[in-house]
């Protein structure tokens, strides 16, 4: 991928309708990206089916959800969950009676981790055991799913799995330094990648965030062939991250959060979509903007590129509703601060000589540096301190808007996807939000004008 290919037009759903099937491949968390896509599937009247990663017993064995967990998960999802554990990654797998990779990491200390070596043949055995466990469970899941999908029903597979951080004390301490540490607490992300510990973590990220998409496409091939033979269509989507185009100095420019250690796995995820696309399978990775979720909260400063979405809302024809978003965000700041103050801080960061080398698409994902981490994390803390309440942030408000817009865009774009890897930049996100909210709040006369222009607009 030499340059980001952006979704530019607001697409329209022309495939998915009542009775079609939406399969969420990952669990649902309250504020995660998947909530937006699921909302669209529900609005279209689709049957919703989910999976579970399962839960760990005290002895680390993996089990299905118990009755209470299952009923809670199904009511959150609004659909049936196939209760066969699909936890990915090999951090807790090992030959019976032998230590797991996480056990091996437990012996590492802050003093010695950089020179500690792992037995890669043994790690490979654990990886193969985990892959076997995952793919066997996936075969069972697919058999159940097959029986739930009638001929003639279109199917939308939405992959959301990402993760793979092993629960090892030493890594949690290092992650705190890499993603949250400044000054003397700063740590080089490259030092992690150069160590055996780092190499293990990258492999596990590949397993969870990328290979699971390949397995999903492979193991659903019988369903895909049957559904397509019955005249219906199948789509696959996954959430990628590979930087985002945001408004910087009045133009949309690509930038990224640094250090995004999972970036290698995200590029591998893209390669699965590219491979599938070449085989005639409609699989698309949508590279989405930085937002705050359960999974991204570890990255201090990831929210900084999100705040200029407010500028994009204005630029992309924002009216009364966009103005209301500015007011709602400004109300979250403590007396004496305005949104312009927060945006000015981000502008200063973006224009800094320290940051400019990091906005190099071809060099992504770059390792962090002391100066870059100090500036990113420091700016994040300063903007957080401008808020009245550290638990009600502008980035929370804007994250929810991005989840809404990306759900609409991905759902609709998947009717006629235009490529295997697409970026959802702030321009199209802002256009999508302004269009839906103008419709929701504008008087009937304008809505009639809208209707005459439906060829350029979307059906939501
Ligand atoms: N938050 C962001 O800024 C951002 C930006 C771009 C893309 N994304 C992507 O969006 C997707 C959803 O993430 P989110 O940020 O909404 O967070 P989230 O926490 O809501 O979702 C994470 C998902 O990963 C699954 N998962 C975690 N560990 C797993 C494991 N070991 N095996 C199988 N599944 C596992 C969870 O079940 C869940 O479905 C991810 O692919 C993420 O990389 C996030």
């Amino acid at each position: 991928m030499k340059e980001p290919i952006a979704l530019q037009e607001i697409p329209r759903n022309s495939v998915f309708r009542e009775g079609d099937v939406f399969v969420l491949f990952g669990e649902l968390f309250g504020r995660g990206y998947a909530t937006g896509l699921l909302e669209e599937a529900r609005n279209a009247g689709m049957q919703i089916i989910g999976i579970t990663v399962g839960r760990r017993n005290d002895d680390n064995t993996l089990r299905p959800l118990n009755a209470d967990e299952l009923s809670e998960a199904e009511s959150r999802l609004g659909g049936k969950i196939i209760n066969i554990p699909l936890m990915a990654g090999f951090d807790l797998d090992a030959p019976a009676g032998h230590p797991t990779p996480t056990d091996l990491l437990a012996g590492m200390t802050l003093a010695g981790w950089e020179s500690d070596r792992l037995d890669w043949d043994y790690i490979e055995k654990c990886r193969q055991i985990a892959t076997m466990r995952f793919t066997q469970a996936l075969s069972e899941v697919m058999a159940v799913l097959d029986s739930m999908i009638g001929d003639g029903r279109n199917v939308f597979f939405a992959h959301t799995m990402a993760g793979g951080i092993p629960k090892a004390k030493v890594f949690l301490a290092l992650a705190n330094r890499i993603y949250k540490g400044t000054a003397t607490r700063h740590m080089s992300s490259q030092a992690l990648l150069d160590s055996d510990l780092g190499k293990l973590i990258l492999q596990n990220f590949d397993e969870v965030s990328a290979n699971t998409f390949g397995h999903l496409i492979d193991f659903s091939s019988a369903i895909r062939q049957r559904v397509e033979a019955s005249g219906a269509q199948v789509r696959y989507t996954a959430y990628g991250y590979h930087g985002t185009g945001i408004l910087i100095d009045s133009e949309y420019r690509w930038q990224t959060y640094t250090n995004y250690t999972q970036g290698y796995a995200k590029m591998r995820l893209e390669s699965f979509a590219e491979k599938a696309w070449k085989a005639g399978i409609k699989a698309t990775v949508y590279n989405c903007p930085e937002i705050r979720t359960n999974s991204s909260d570890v990255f201090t400063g990831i929210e900084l590129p999100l705040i200029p979405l407010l500028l994009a809302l204005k630029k992309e024809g924002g009216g009364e509703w966009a103005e209301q978003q500015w007011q709602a965000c400004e109300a979250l700041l403590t007396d004496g601060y305005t949104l312009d103050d927060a945006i000015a801080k981000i502008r200063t960061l973006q224009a800094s000589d320290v940051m400019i080398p990091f906005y190099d698409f071809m060099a992504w994902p770059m390792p962090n540096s002391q100066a870059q981490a100090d500036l990113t994390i420091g700016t994040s803390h300063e903007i957080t301190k401008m808020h009245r309440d550290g638990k009600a942030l502008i980035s929370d408000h804007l994250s929810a808007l991005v989840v809404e817009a990306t759900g609409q865009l991905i759902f609709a774009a998947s009717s006629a996807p235009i490529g295997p890897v697409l970026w959802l930049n702030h321009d199209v996100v802002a256009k999508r939000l302004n269009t839906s909210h103008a419709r929701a709040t504008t008087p009937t006369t304008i809505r009639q004008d809208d209707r005459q222009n439906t060829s350029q607009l979307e059906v939501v």
Side-chain angles (χ1 to χ4, degrees), residues 177-198:
R177 292 196 172 190
I178 293 176
Y179 306 120
K180 298 181 191 296
T182 56
T184 53
R185 286 191 57 75
H186 164 76
M187 206 195 95
S188 153
S189 57
Q190 191 59 41
L192 175 68
L193 298 197
D194 291 341
S195 70
D196 273 15
L197 168 65

Side-chain angles (χ1 to χ4, degrees), residues 26-27 29 32-33 53 86-88 160-163 208 239-241 260 266 288-291 293-296 302:
E27 289 197 6
F29 297 125
Y33 257 122
V53 300
L86 278 178
M87 180 85 72
T160 170
M161 291 180 176
V208 178
Y239 293 96
Y241 177 70
Y260 188 64
K266 285 299 188 192
C288 288
E290 303 80 1
I291 60 166
T293 65
N294 289 4
S295 297
S296 69
I302 198 162

Side-chain angles (χ1 to χ4, degrees), residues 15 32 97 253 279 324 373 383 429 442 458 460:
V15 170
R253 288 192 355 224
Q324 286 164 5
I383 293 181
V429 168
T442 42
E458 71 312 317
V460 233

Side-chain angles (χ1 to χ4, degrees), residues 382-428:
E382 285 172 23
I383 293 181
T384 303
K385 274 194 217 132
M386 290 179 172
H387 288 74
R388 283 179 197 283
D389 175 355
K391 291 202 171 68
L393 303 176
I394 294 171
S395 51
D396 294 323
H397 185 90
L398 296 177
S399 294
L401 294 182
V402 173
V403 166
E404 174 191 324
T406 52
Q408 294 170 337
L409 291 167
I410 294 172
F411 188 74
S414 298
S415 286
I418 55 172
V421 185
L422 294 173
W423 270 254
L424 303 183
N425 293 326
H426 275 194
D427 52 355
V428 79

Side-chain angles (χ1 to χ4, degrees), residues 128-330:
Q128 284 176 10
I129 289 169
T131 304
M132 186 79 80
R133 169 185 58 71
F134 184 87
T135 52
Q136 271 173 2
L138 188 55
S139 298
E140 291 171 37
V141 167
M142 287 300 162
V144 178
L145 190 59
D146 194 25
S147 68
M148 296 168 84
I149 301 174
D151 283 349
R153 302 295 183 189
N154 300 304
V155 184
F156 192 125
F157 286 101
H159 176 279
T160 170
M161 291 180 176
I165 293 181
K167 287 197 179 61
K169 262 192 195 154
V170 69
F171 180 69
L172 298 181
L174 297 176
N176 260 327
R177 292 196 172 190
I178 293 176
Y179 306 120
K180 298 181 191 296
T182 56
T184 53
R185 286 191 57 75
H186 164 76
M187 206 195 95
S188 153
S189 57
Q190 191 59 41
L192 175 68
L193 298 197
D194 291 341
S195 70
D196 273 15
L197 168 65
K199 291 188 173 78
L200 176 86
I201 287 168
L202 289 189
Q203 276 195 18
N204 210 36
F205 287 162
D206 276 352
E207 285 300 329
V208 178
S209 305
N211 296 357
T212 48
F213 193 45
H215 295 318
L216 168 65
I217 294 170
D218 289 348
F219 281 75
S220 57
S221 59
I223 295 180
R224 187 172 63 245
Q225 282 155 17
R226 177 175 65 78
V227 165
E228 286 177 351
S230 76
Q233 303 192 44
V234 178
R235 299 287 186 267
Y236 299 86
T237 66
Y239 293 96
Y241 177 70
H242 199 150
T244 310
I246 70 166
L247 208 47
I248 300 177
D249 291 337
S250 310
E251 61 171 321
Y252 289 100
R253 288 192 355 224
W254 182 89
Q255 57 72 58
T256 178
Y257 170 81
T258 297
N259 166 258
Y260 188 64
T261 322
Q262 284 83 340
Y264 303 98
K266 285 299 188 192
M267 287 194 283
R268 191 174 166 84
L269 176 73
E270 292 173 0
S271 75
F272 281 111
E274 282 160 349
K275 186 173 153 225
W277 196 265
K278 282 187 192 135
I281 300 164
K282 295 267 184 290
T284 304
V285 169
Y286 290 92
N287 286 328
C288 288
E290 303 80 1
I291 60 166
R292 291 192 43 244
T293 65
N294 289 4
S295 297
S296 69
D297 269 355
V298 59
F299 305 115
T300 302
I302 198 162
E303 76 290 356
L304 296 174
L306 175 59
I307 294 174
L309 178 67
L310 285 162
L311 301 171
L313 287 176
K314 272 199 179 158
K315 186 177 163 80
E316 301 303 330
E320 193 187 327
W321 177 82
E323 186 53 41
Q324 286 164 5
Q325 304 319 300
W326 274 73
Q327 286 166 11
C329 288
E330 193 142 86

